[in-house]
């Protein structure tokens, strides 16, 4: 097993390039023990970034994460998000404190604005900065922000990441968002890197996986992780699935592999609206 590759935030903090997502987790009591075991197995394998949000199950995912990291909080790098309609001066603080209670911790390592809403960005950023000053969060970032949204952030404001939908079938960010984030030295965080499993039956992906002695999910993740400044956060609700994902770090795609995937999943030829799930 290779050493886990890291990505560096503007603050200088380093995290593993492969983390764990929790969207749609925590909703089924019958699966709770299995999901907790999966998150803990991920921590054991070095997948310390755990991404969640107040929106996921109306807090159920955060509660699940809180139980999973109890007694091992220092092994985890917790990411959560505030909903845009909570993101005013007071609401951001209240939402963060509610997330902290569900997560059973006194700090969220990285707190994101889930997507842009009607609250002025100046007000949201000021509230986020106040949470940093309080020690409630280590840093802040954004999610689902396109180039124009990043340009509208207040002068001097620098998010630690932009979490966006990115996978083989959602390559739009490569055209202009990737270059802009690289100018800012802001890494991207790719959610749904296997398109919530819908990618896994694609003929080209299964063919390449078979040729490389890997699974389709591992090829899809290795493709996202070919970038040095991208963090992938796939969801895995079972320990075996977590182990499968972790093995993607051991898979290096060749130039021929990448050309084959470009033929099957063409890169964008121009600007595309940022997609969301």
């Amino acid at each position: 097993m290779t050493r886990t590759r890291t990505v560096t935030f503007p603050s200088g903090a380093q995290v593993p390039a492969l983390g764990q997502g929790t969207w749609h987790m925590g909703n089924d009591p019958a699966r709770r023990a299995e999901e907790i075991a999966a998150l803990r197995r991920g921590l054991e394998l070095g997948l310390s970034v755990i991404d969640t949000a107040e929106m996921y199950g109306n807090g159920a995912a955060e509660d699940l994460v809180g139980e999973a990291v109890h007694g091992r909080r220092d092994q985890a790098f917790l990411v959560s998000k505030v909903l845009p309609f909570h993101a005013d001066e007071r609401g951001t603080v209240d939402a963060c404190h509610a997330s902290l209670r569900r997560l059973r911790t006194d700090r969220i390592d990285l707190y994101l604005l889930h997507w842009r809403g009607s609250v002025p960005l100046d007000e949201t950023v000021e509230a986020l900065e106040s949470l940093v000053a309080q020690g409630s969060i280590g840093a802040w970032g954004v999610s689902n922000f396109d180039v124009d949204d990043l340009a509208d952030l207040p002068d001097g404001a620098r998010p630690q990441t932009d979490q966006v939908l990115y996978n083989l079938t959602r390559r739009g960010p490569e055209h202009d968002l990737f270059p802009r984030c690289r100018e800012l030295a802001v890494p991207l965080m790719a959610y749904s890197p296997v398109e919530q499993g819908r990618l896994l039956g694609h003929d080209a992906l299964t063919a390449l996986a078979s040729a490389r002695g890997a699974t389709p999910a591992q090829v899809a993740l290795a493709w996202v992780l070919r970038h040095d400044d991208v963090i992938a956060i796939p969801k895995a609700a079972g320990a075996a699935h977590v182990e499968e994902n972790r093995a993607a770090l051991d898979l290096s795609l060749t130039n021929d592999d990448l050309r084959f995937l470009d033929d099957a999943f063409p890169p964008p030829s121009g600007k595309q609206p940022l997609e969301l799930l």
Side-chain angles (χ1 to χ4, degrees):
M1 187 169 66
T2 59
R3 183 178 180 182
T4 303
R5 182 170 60 78
T6 60
V7 173
T8 303
F9 292 122
S11 66
Q14 292 185 331
V15 299
L18 183 62
Q20 304 182 79
T22 62
W23 194 9
H24 301 307
M25 290 175 67
N27 296 326
D28 183 356
R31 300 195 63 184
R32 187 176 185 86
E34 180 184 14
E35 291 173 342
I36 288 171
L39 291 170
R40 290 177 175 171
R41 180 58 177 149
L43 291 178
E44 292 170 358
L45 293 172
L47 310 184
S48 59
V49 175
I50 299 180
D51 176 83
T52 189
E54 65 167 335
M55 184 189 81
Y56 300 167
N58 292 319
E62 287 181 323
D63 183 72
L64 180 85
V65 171
E67 184 173 349
V69 304
H70 183 66
R72 58 193 83 195
R73 172 65 181 89
D74 290 342
Q75 298 176 33
F77 185 94
L78 296 182
V79 182
S80 195
K81 310 178 197 73
V82 58
L83 285 162
F85 45 82
H86 289 162
D88 58 14
E89 181 179 4
R90 183 63 196 173
T92 302
V93 174
D94 288 345
C96 178
H97 289 168
S99 290
L100 288 169
R101 288 192 294 272
R102 288 188 290 267
L103 290 165
R104 309 181 196 187
T105 186
D106 60 356
R107 74 187 187 283
I108 294 170
D109 297 294
L110 182 57
Y111 196 47
L112 311 181
L113 174 60
H114 209 149
W115 65 88
R116 188 176 183 177
S118 60
V119 177
L121 291 176
D122 291 33
E123 183 175 351
T124 302
V125 169
E126 185 175 353
L128 291 168
E129 292 286 6
S130 75
L131 287 167
V132 173
Q134 292 173 15
S136 296
I137 65 174
W140 64 271
V142 295
S143 180
N144 299 303
F145 267 46
D146 211 338
V147 173
D148 292 345
D149 300 311
L150 292 173
D152 288 341
L153 288 168
D155 291 343
R158 192 181 189 190
Q160 297 297 301
T161 192
D162 187 2
Q163 185 181 123
V164 297
L165 176 62
Y166 180 61
N167 59 51
L168 279 162
T169 61
R170 312 277 192 161
R171 298 185 63 171
E174 293 175 9
H175 182 263
D176 55 350
L177 185 59
F178 271 61
R180 180 55 182 150
C181 284
R182 285 175 179 144
E183 289 173 358
L184 298 170
V186 172
L188 277 90
M189 193 175 291
Y191 74 84
S192 297
V194 295
E195 188 68 8
Q196 297 184 331
R198 289 184 291 272
L199 259 172
L200 303 183
H202 192 283
D203 289 345
L205 192 59
T206 57
L208 181 56
S210 178
R212 293 300 312 271
T215 67
Q218 288 165 352
V219 173
L221 287 173
W223 180 86
V224 170
L225 294 168
R226 77 196 188 283
H227 300 289
D228 291 336
D229 53 358
V230 174
I231 302 159
I233 48 169
K235 184 195 83 169
H241 191 181
V242 173
E243 292 166 359
E244 177 189 0
N245 288 346
R246 172 59 182 81
L249 290 168
D250 302 325
L251 177 63
S252 295
L253 299 177
T254 67
N255 289 333
D256 286 343
D257 293 337
L258 295 175
R259 283 190 289 269
F260 177 81
L261 291 172
D262 280 345
D263 288 341
F265 306 93
S269 58
K271 168 68 178 174
Q272 297 179 7
L274 189 66
E275 296 181 274
L276 288 78
L277 281 181

